[in-house]
């Protein structure tokens, strides 16, 4: 019997900051043991450069990622759906694990506050 990889979906409205950073961390930590997705209900055209810089300083490259639109299919294929405290509505399906991480919005973030965020993530 072959075990399938778990799939984790990170969701925030613009998919340009928090969800991209969280996805980048999980991908860096888990490697190919976990399928990592991220999406948003109203994705921006590009990832927030401050998030890209903060992650690069930690050795995690998210510069090549692009914001994606949240789809029902992405939620269906995920084992865990994590929203970033942004009020995004996700479809609810039985058998999925849902979490809401209350993280500061990128629109209020600067390099200093992102450093604090990265430090908190590193401590967990």
């Amino acid at each position: 019997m072959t075990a399938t990889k778990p799939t984790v979906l990170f969701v925030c409205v613009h998919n340009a900051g928090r969800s991209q950073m969280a996805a980048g961390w999980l991908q860096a930590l888990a490697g190919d043991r976990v399928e990592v997705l991220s999406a948003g209900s109203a994705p921006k055209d590009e990832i927030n450069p401050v998030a890209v810089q903060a992650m690069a300083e930690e050795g995690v490259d998210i510069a090549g990622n692009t914001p994606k639109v949240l789809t029902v299919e992405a939620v269906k294929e995920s084992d865990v759906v994590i929203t970033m405290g942004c009020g995004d509505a996700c479809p609810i399906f039985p058998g999925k694990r849902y979490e809401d991480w209350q993280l500061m919005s990128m629109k209020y973030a600067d390099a200093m506050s992102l450093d604090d965020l990265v430090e908190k993530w590193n401590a967990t």
Side-chain angles (χ1 to χ4, degrees):
M1 181 164 95
T2 317
T4 58
K5 291 195 285 189
T7 301
V8 178
L9 171 62
F10 294 97
V11 179
C12 67
V13 174
H14 299 301
N15 190 225
R18 296 170 288 184
S19 56
Q20 291 285 347
M21 292 174 74
W25 270 120
L26 181 55
Q27 193 68 67
L29 294 170
D32 64 357
R33 296 184 309 261
V34 175
E35 183 71 29
V36 181
L37 306 172
S38 69
S41 57
K44 293 280 190 182
D45 293 330
E46 63 183 17
I47 297 177
N48 185 317
V50 176
V52 171
Q53 177 187 344
M55 294 300 288
E57 290 172 3
E58 294 296 315
V60 178
D61 182 9
I62 62 170
N65 297 359
T66 56
K68 296 168 196 66
V69 69
L70 176 63
T71 64
V72 170
E73 292 77 24
V75 177
K76 279 185 178 178
E77 74 179 66
S78 298
D79 299 294
V80 180
V81 178
I82 302 172
T83 57
M84 302 282 112
C86 50
D88 225 14
C90 292
I92 304 294
F93 294 101
K96 308 289 179 197
R97 178 175 157 193
Y98 293 88
E99 292 190 19
D100 184 47
W101 293 358
Q102 296 293 318
L103 300 175
M104 168 189 55
S105 172
M106 290 299 297
K107 67 183 171 186
Y108 305 115
D110 57 22
M112 174 73 90
S113 57
L114 280 177
D115 288 344
D116 291 341
L117 178 63
V118 169
E119 186 176 311
K120 286 178 187 173
W121 282 0
N122 282 337
T124 58

